[in-house]
Amino acid sequence: MSTTRRSFLVAGAVGAVAPFIKGADKTESKYPILGDGEHKYECIHDWGELPSNIKYGNTHSVSEDAQGHIYIHHTVYKDSQSPDSVVVFDEKGKFVRSFGPMFRGGAHGMHLRKEGKTEYLYFCDEKHGIITKRTLKGEEVWTMGYPQGSPIYQKGPGSTGPGGAAGLNYRPTNIAIAPNGDFWVGDGYGSYYMFHYSVASPTAYPQLVNVFGGPAPTPAPAGGRGGGRGAGGPGGGAPAGAAPAPRPPAPIEQMNNPHGNMVDLRDPAKPILLVADRGHGRIVRYTLDDKPIDIVDGTRQPCHFHELKGNIVVPDLAGPVHILDKDNKVVVSMGGGKEGNPPRTTDDRSKFVPGQFVNPHGAIFDHTGNIFVVEWVEIGRVTKLRKVA
């Protein structure tokens, strides 16, 4: 994935909360201490005993099951002997198993959910354009490809969709699931729409309910070549030597890389869909009937979400990992800065700066309050933030 596709290093400040990085404090840890107050963590990079035949590619997502096992979803490095894209560790970091060679190169979103007495994994593969439901060992329940049922994504002879006969680009990135089984998928690296599905039972094939969001309309070219569909703005540009005019905030219903999503159940009487509208540098809240409510500020390139005890962890591709409180205010930002870090394409792990993140892409709380962070770097990076306060 190119840095252009990722809208890499968007300029701007990260809220009003500065990152805290300390080499040592009263805990006398040999690891850097990140955070402050009641959100303080020991930063353990390269967590987990990865077998020698598996080499991480970009580590995109992380989940925990009821046993406390940690699942890492990665794209697989180019010369890895094993093609498996899912690696499972116990809570101490011991290797348990691996599976998922079919996701090599496209591994992206992963969501773990208990349904009745059984846990399932939901995967988004952005390279192969699929979402799929699997058991914890990788057995298929169902798989969905290109969203043929959407008029917007219609393709083929006689198509009236905006993509014409070829259809729209479709590269799903993440999935969010409501208690009733409805779920939402973001076409984050494709054409920037959100899909709402319903299911009749845990093994039933999903049915499309709604498609919403999408990019700003692309204006007709004026003189030169215009911006491509979903590019996030018009083509053309300012005269040579002139500073580009600041862009006004995008309308709340428009999206530019709806990269991550989560059903927020902190108020059970009023569940909310959170969308990480990463290309617009914001979090947007929606009702579960797909109507926008408001915008949450304080992040630059939010990637995804996970909640524990009223707090939400948000990995930010621009560098830090944020924690939002029950009022969606950033209370701490950790590991930002990037001073001295190599490019994300490095193949030398030793050059990463301890206590700093390069490109946080996925993060979860585990059941004890620790945080696991995975990064969009070419050789993968898994960090455990062990809670110390």
Side-chain angles (χ1 to χ4, degrees):
M1 195 74 62
S2 69
T3 52
T4 299
R5 163 57 73 184
R6 297 287 186 140
S7 304
F8 189 47
L9 291 179
V10 172
V14 183
V17 181
F20 295 87
I21 302 177
K22 301 179 182 179
D25 66 0
K26 64 182 179 181
T27 64
E28 298 181 355
S29 171
K30 65 178 181 179
Y31 300 106
I33 301 297
L34 275 59
D36 193 56
E38 63 183 49
H39 302 289
K40 189 177 290 187
Y41 301 86
E42 186 180 54
C43 181
I44 306 168
H45 295 300
D46 301 316
W47 178 89
E49 298 176 10
L50 193 66
S52 61
N53 68 322
I54 299 176
K55 293 181 72 173
Y56 283 141
N58 293 289
T59 40
H60 278 156
S61 50
V62 54
S63 294
E64 181 192 30
D65 70 14
Q67 297 182 71
H69 289 172
I70 300 298
Y71 294 68
I72 307 296
H73 201 205
H74 70 110
T75 57
V76 186
Y77 198 66
K78 57 188 176 184
D79 64 355
S80 177
Q81 291 180 328
S82 169
D84 288 350
S85 69
V86 182
V87 187
V88 186
F89 302 94
D90 69 16
E91 58 186 326
K92 294 182 179 179
K94 301 289 186 182
F95 174 78
V96 175
R97 64 180 177 275
S98 65
F99 61 91
M102 70 289 291
F103 306 130
R104 183 173 190 166
H108 200 272
M110 176 175 59
H111 182 91
L112 194 149
R113 181 173 187 259
K114 189 171 185 179
E115 300 173 8
K117 296 182 179 180
T118 305
E119 292 180 288
Y120 294 97
L121 287 162
Y122 292 78
F123 294 102
C124 291
D125 182 325
E126 57 89 13
K127 177 181 178 181
H128 303 104
I130 62 170
I131 54 175
T132 183
K133 181 177 182 178
R134 306 268 169 162
T135 69
L136 296 192
K137 293 186 177 179
E139 295 94 349
E140 181 182 21
V141 178
W142 52 254
T143 298
M144 300 174 59
Y146 188 86
Q148 301 277 7
S150 164
I152 296 173
Y153 281 72
Q154 184 186 57
K155 62 180 179 178
S159 169
T160 59
L168 291 178
N169 188 21
Y170 177 64
R171 298 170 66 187
T173 48
N174 272 300
I175 187 169
I177 308 177
N180 70 347
D182 278 22
F183 64 89
W184 289 259
V185 175
D187 186 10
Y189 294 160
S191 298
Y192 303 166
Y193 288 89
M194 290 288 297
F195 297 86
H196 179 177
Y197 292 92
S198 66
V199 291
S201 72
T203 57
Y205 196 76
Q207 300 298 314
L208 183 64
V209 175
N210 189 27
V211 180
F212 61 102
T218 303
R225 179 179 299 176
R229 177 163 184 80
R247 292 181 180 175
I252 191 172
E253 69 276 3
Q254 290 179 2
M255 297 181 182
N256 183 344
N257 188 352
H259 185 274
N261 38 64
M262 184 189 83
V263 176
D264 181 359
L265 297 172
R266 289 178 294 177
D267 181 354
K270 189 180 179 182
I272 298 293
L273 175 67
L274 299 180
V275 176
D277 187 10
R278 196 174 78 187
H280 286 143
R282 64 190 186 183
I283 298 166
V284 184
R285 302 198 314 147
Y286 282 80
T287 65
L288 296 196
D289 58 357
D290 311 329
K291 301 296 190 294
I293 300 171
D294 56 23
I295 292 170
V296 176
D297 294 316
T299 61
R300 285 170 64 186
Q301 292 180 276
C303 284
H304 205 36
F305 314 96
H306 192 254
E307 185 269 339
L308 179 71
K309 297 180 179 179
N311 293 317
I312 291 178
V313 61
V314 182
D316 190 319
L317 199 71
V321 172
H322 310 287
I323 294 179
L324 277 59
D325 66 11
K326 62 182 178 61
D327 298 315
N328 297 317
K329 304 297 183 185
V330 177
V331 293
V332 68
S333 295
M334 302 177 288
K338 299 189 179 182
E339 292 86 355
N341 265 305
R344 58 160 297 278
T345 54
T346 184
D347 60 3
D348 186 351
R349 192 173 301 279
S350 68
K351 291 185 177 180
F352 291 133
V353 177
Q356 291 185 13
F357 298 116
V358 180
N359 294 123
H361 192 276
I364 61 164
F365 292 105
D366 73 6
H367 66 284
T368 62
N370 304 310
I371 297 173
F372 284 86
V373 180
V374 293
E375 296 190 65
W376 176 58
V377 294
E378 203 71 17
I379 55 175
R381 197 183 192 203
V382 178
T383 298
K384 179 178 181 178
L385 298 179
R386 189 182 71 84
K387 188 169 178 58
V388 295

